[in-house]
């Protein structure tokens, strides 16, 4: 069976072209060897599940690995402590394979619901016995943990893991626990509060009105004293530290480098002999994706399966070219895939992200990363941005272009004067298949001066780029795209790059 590029589910090296994960797996194993508990939290479709599945095989010679997926558990499994103990025991028995006889008997009684006690403390005593009697040290891995994050039972489960970790010198427990998901479990206490909308960490739980979303809520009474009738149990839950504060930092880079992409393409080239320039193609893919695993695989899959066979690219040799890459890029930017859908939904669910994204896109601001800023942390956690040289940047060119399209191509902006003028004058800017960028700039200046010439310099500086891109978008839409150069030679972020039908233009936008 021929291998393919895969963007649906996890990747298997026997069936899919994929980057060699050996280096990453070795780094993770070093953390396991050092009996670290940690979380792999990255944005959607970042290769977390693929990494866990490969890690299970990689650790198997040294450890007994129990790999679970909380996505397979229903909400009823987390309804109360007994339900969770029963469901968790059933999953452990299924995933662990061979289990010591006494442990198996106890866990079967939990899973079938006829044990005298069905509590987490009883379950963990059995798990302790399992770890003690196992021939190999046990590594527990749980994928999609954030699917269970909105309930007290899960918080109590984390607290039990923490308690056994802290007394691991006196008892036998898991060698390592690895949790994977989008949300950082260390801040999971924010998600289990009764108020579903409550996101900011405040001393007392108070509702957040829509107009105040993203602001720090005020204390419910002077001096921070809770009012009479305040739910003390709720208060204790909120005030308690995160039960996962024992987790080690996970610093393994999960992005693909250009050299790693090149090795993957060489495997493809062995099978198809397209004649592509592997290093050049790998670098182009990296330049636009910054190594985001899904985007790398998606571009390759589009060139292999969609572009190859089109009239302009009748075979794979033509598809794996600079022009074929641009055609695949255009398809990717126009499609509605699960990654883009998840990304855009976050802008609706977390509206406080929009001003930060807008500042990066349209003002070119160099925003210092502040680990105490919850908005910055959310933007990083969901994959919108990356931190480079202690500053925040949009994660990659593809996200940047897609976000520009979201902000510039919405119905309100398309009804504005600047977008309308770009659409109306479009025909005069394309000459023999080339973009007459000098003419574009001249007409933009005329149009901007006519519409906004009476505004002050601050308006020109803050809004100039956005209006230029509004004017430009209908001109290049469908045949090109634009993005902000991540870092210019003088380390500022104010140059706009336009790709149009294989030609690249750089516009200096500094004032």
């Amino acid at each position: 069976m021929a291998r393919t590029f895969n963007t649906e589910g996890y990747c298997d090296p026997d069936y899919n072209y994929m980057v060699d994960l050996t280096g990453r797996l070795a780094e993770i194993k070093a953390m396991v060897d050092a009996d670290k508990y940690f979380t792999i939290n990255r944005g959607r479709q970042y290769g977390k599940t693929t990494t866990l599945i490969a890690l299970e095989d990689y650790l198997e010679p040294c450890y007994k690995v129990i790999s679970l997926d909380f996505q397979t558990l229903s909400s009823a499994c987390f309804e109360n402590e007994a339900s969770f103990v029963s469901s968790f025991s059933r999953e452990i028995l299924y995933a662990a394979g061979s289990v010591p006889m006494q442990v198996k008997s106890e866990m079967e009684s939990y899973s079938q619901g006829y044990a005298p006690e069905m509590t987490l403390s009883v379950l963990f005593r059995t798990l302790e016995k399992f770890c003690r009697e196992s021939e190999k040290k046990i590594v527990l891995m749980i994928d999609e943990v954030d699917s269970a994050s909105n309930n007290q039972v899960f918080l109590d489960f984390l607290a039990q893991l923490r308690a056994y970790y802290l007394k691991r010198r006196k008892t036998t427990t898991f060698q390592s626990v690895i949790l994977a998901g989008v949300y950082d479990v260390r801040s999971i206490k924010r998600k289990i509060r009764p108020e579903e909308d409550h996101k900011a960490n405040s001393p007392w739980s108070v509702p957040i009105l829509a107009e105040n979303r993203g602001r720090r809520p005020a204390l419910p009474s002077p001096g921070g004293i809770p009012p009479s009738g305040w739910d003390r149990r709720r208060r204790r839950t909120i005030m308690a530290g995160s039960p996962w504060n024992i987790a080690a930092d996970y610093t393994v880079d999960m992005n693909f480098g250009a050299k790693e992409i090149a090795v993957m393409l060489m495997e493809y080239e062995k099978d198809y002999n397209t004649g592509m320039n592997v290093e050049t193609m790998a670098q182009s893919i990296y330049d636009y994706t910054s190594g985001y695993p899904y985007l790398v695989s998606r571009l390759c899959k589009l060139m292999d399966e969609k572009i190859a066979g089109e009239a302009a690219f009748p075979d794979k040799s033509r598809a794996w070219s600079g022009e074929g890459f641009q055609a695949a890029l255009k398809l990717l930017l126009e499609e509605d895939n699960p990654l883009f859908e998840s990304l855009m939904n976050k802008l609706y669910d977390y509206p406080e992200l929009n001003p930060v994204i807008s500042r990066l896109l349209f003002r070119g601001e160099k925003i210092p990363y502040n680990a105490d800023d919850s908005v910055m942390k959310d933007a990083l956690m969901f994959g919108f941005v990356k931190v480079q040289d202690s500053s925040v940047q949009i994660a990659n060119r593809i996200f940047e272009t897609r976000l520009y399209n979201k902000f510039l191509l919405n119905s309100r902006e398309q009804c504005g004067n600047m977008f309308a003028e770009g659409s109306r004058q479009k025909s005069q800017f394309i000459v023999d298949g080339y973009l007459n960028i000098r003419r574009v700039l001249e007409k933009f200046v005329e149009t901007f001066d006519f519409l906004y010439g009476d505004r002050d310099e601050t308006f020109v500086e803050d809004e100039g780029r956005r209006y230029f891109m509004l004017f430009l978008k209908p001109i290049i839409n469908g045949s090109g795209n634009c993005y902000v150069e991540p870092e210019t030679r003088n380390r500022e972020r104010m140059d706009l790059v336009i790709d149009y039908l294989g030609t690249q233009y750089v516009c200096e936008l500094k004032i």
Side-chain angles (χ1 to χ4, degrees):
M1 181 178 175
R3 286 189 291 174
T4 61
F5 292 103
N6 179 38
T7 55
E8 299 88 31
Y10 75 91
C11 293
D12 185 323
D14 291 333
Y15 299 97
N16 308 123
Y17 295 107
M18 56 184 291
V19 164
D20 183 7
L21 300 178
T22 305
R24 291 171 181 78
L25 299 178
E27 288 186 67
I28 300 173
K29 183 178 182 295
M31 296 181 71
V32 172
D33 292 341
D35 67 9
K36 301 295 186 183
Y37 286 27
F38 56 95
T39 302
I40 303 176
N41 66 284
R42 293 291 186 274
R44 289 291 176 204
Q45 298 186 293
Y46 222 107
K48 299 183 293 296
T49 300
T50 297
T51 300
L52 288 183
I53 291 172
L55 182 62
E56 182 176 357
D57 293 337
Y58 192 80
L59 295 176
E60 209 54 76
C62 302
Y63 299 101
K64 184 177 184 64
V65 181
I66 299 177
S67 182
L68 308 180
D69 184 347
F70 271 7
Q71 197 169 231
T72 63
L73 302 182
S74 68
S75 57
C77 298
F78 297 93
E79 190 173 334
N80 54 55
E81 195 168 353
S83 297
F84 178 79
V85 169
S86 175
S87 302
F88 187 79
S89 300
R90 186 168 56 251
E91 294 299 311
I92 287 283
L93 287 171
Y94 179 78
S98 60
V99 178
M101 187 62 67
Q102 181 62 32
V103 173
K104 182 177 182 181
S105 176
E106 291 178 16
M107 298 204 77
E108 284 179 344
S109 70
Y110 302 147
S111 67
Q112 295 171 22
Y114 58 74
E117 285 188 77
M118 297 282 288
T119 63
L120 284 167
S121 58
V122 171
L123 169 66
F124 269 80
R125 282 198 290 272
T126 301
L127 292 174
E128 179 189 8
K129 188 184 302 180
F130 187 9
C131 293
R132 186 170 61 249
E133 297 180 7
S134 175
E135 293 181 2
K136 294 180 180 178
K137 293 180 178 180
I138 299 177
V139 176
L140 176 64
M141 302 194 306
I142 306 176
D143 198 6
E144 300 290 350
V145 289
D146 38 11
S147 63
S149 60
N150 280 320
N151 56 77
Q152 183 64 43
V153 173
F154 180 65
L155 189 71
D156 293 341
F157 171 72
L158 291 180
Q160 288 284 343
L161 286 173
R162 177 181 182 272
Y164 275 85
Y165 174 83
L166 293 175
K167 60 182 182 181
R168 66 194 184 283
R169 304 303 178 204
K170 297 181 179 180
T171 187
T172 307
T173 185
F174 297 112
Q175 167 72 13
S176 177
V177 176
I178 306 169
L179 307 179
V182 172
Y183 294 90
D184 187 351
V185 183
R186 288 177 295 185
S187 59
I188 211 71
K189 62 181 180 178
R190 294 193 303 164
K191 298 190 67 193
I192 64 161
R193 300 181 187 176
E195 294 86 351
E196 194 66 27
D197 288 338
H198 197 106
K199 295 199 205 85
N201 283 324
S202 59
W204 313 111
S205 180
V206 293
I208 293 183
L209 301 176
E211 60 268 24
N212 292 325
R213 190 179 297 277
R215 303 176 185 172
R216 184 176 297 281
L219 293 170
S221 62
I225 301 172
S228 59
W230 192 261
D231 187 330
R232 293 185 180 277
R233 180 179 178 277
R234 180 187 301 167
R235 184 187 71 187
R236 285 196 300 271
T237 299
I238 295 165
M239 293 295 289
S242 168
W244 202 239
N245 59 10
I246 44 87
D249 290 332
Y250 179 78
T251 58
V252 178
D253 187 1
M254 294 179 68
N255 293 303
F256 299 157
K259 291 182 179 178
E260 293 176 306
I261 298 170
V263 172
M264 177 180 69
L265 293 182
M266 286 177 191
E267 291 296 310
Y268 178 86
E269 190 66 3
K270 288 178 185 176
D271 293 338
Y272 292 100
N273 299 309
T274 68
M276 77 167 95
N277 187 319
V278 169
E279 286 73 22
T280 300
M281 181 60 69
Q283 189 63 52
S284 295
I285 293 171
Y286 178 79
D287 287 344
Y288 276 85
T289 64
S290 294
Y292 197 110
Y294 174 86
L295 297 177
V296 171
S297 295
R298 190 63 185 162
L299 280 172
C300 292
K301 188 177 181 69
L302 289 172
M303 280 185 281
D304 180 51
E305 298 180 13
K306 298 290 185 182
I307 301 304
E310 289 187 351
F313 308 97
D315 52 40
K316 292 185 185 294
S317 296
R318 301 284 183 87
W320 288 90
S321 63
E323 293 78 11
F325 172 77
Q326 289 296 327
L329 184 64
K330 178 177 179 292
L331 282 182
L332 175 58
L333 289 169
E334 292 175 351
E335 73 178 9
D336 186 20
N337 60 52
L339 175 59
F340 291 157
E341 182 180 356
S342 173
L343 203 66
M344 298 309 161
N345 283 342
K346 290 296 184 292
L347 293 177
Y348 292 104
D349 295 339
Y350 296 78
E352 60 270 23
L353 292 171
N354 286 272
V356 173
I357 302 300
S358 183
R359 286 166 63 193
L360 291 170
L361 290 176
F362 298 112
R363 297 187 184 181
E365 292 187 25
K366 192 168 186 177
I367 304 177
Y369 177 67
N370 178 6
D372 296 320
D373 186 329
S374 62
V375 178
M376 292 287 184
K377 288 169 68 175
D378 285 344
L380 183 64
M381 179 170 64
F382 296 137
F384 285 99
V385 301
K386 61 184 177 183
V387 178
Q388 189 166 313
D389 297 328
S390 300
S391 295
V392 176
Q393 298 178 3
I394 299 296
N396 55 70
R397 289 183 188 174
I398 290 175
F399 281 5
E400 187 165 17
T401 303
R402 188 76 180 208
L403 288 164
Y404 275 129
N405 290 344
K406 177 190 173 358
F407 284 101
L408 296 174
L409 298 182
N410 61 60
S411 56
R412 182 175 63 84
E413 296 289 12
Q414 290 188 48
C415 291
N417 291 329
M418 190 59 76
F419 191 94
E421 284 299 309
S423 298
R424 185 177 66 82
Q425 301 181 46
K426 176 178 179 177
S427 60
Q428 64 181 292
F429 303 126
I430 312 301
V431 180
D432 297 328
Y434 287 91
L435 180 65
N436 187 336
I437 190 63
R438 180 178 294 276
R439 182 67 173 159
V440 171
L441 290 168
E442 290 170 350
K443 295 304 293 183
F444 167 71
V445 171
E446 289 180 19
T447 305
F448 186 89
D449 207 37
F450 175 74
L451 293 173
Y452 308 109
D454 59 343
R455 304 296 180 93
D456 60 24
E457 186 174 341
T458 301
F459 173 85
V460 173
E461 183 134 15
D462 288 348
E463 300 295 330
R465 176 190 292 165
R466 187 169 73 87
Y467 281 116
F468 176 57
M469 296 187 75
L470 276 171
F471 186 79
L472 179 67
K473 270 294 180 182
I475 297 171
I476 66 171
N477 197 38
S479 300
N481 61 76
C482 57
Y483 54 89
V484 176
E485 186 64 30
E487 189 173 279
T488 54
R489 267 178 247 156
N490 59 0
R491 302 186 68 80
E492 295 184 15
R493 184 179 157 83
M494 292 290 283
D495 286 350
L496 185 73
V497 180
I498 304 168
D499 287 327
Y500 188 83
L501 296 179
T503 303
Q504 194 170 80
Y505 310 84
V506 181
C507 296
E508 179 67 67
L509 300 181
K510 299 180 192 69
I511 296 180

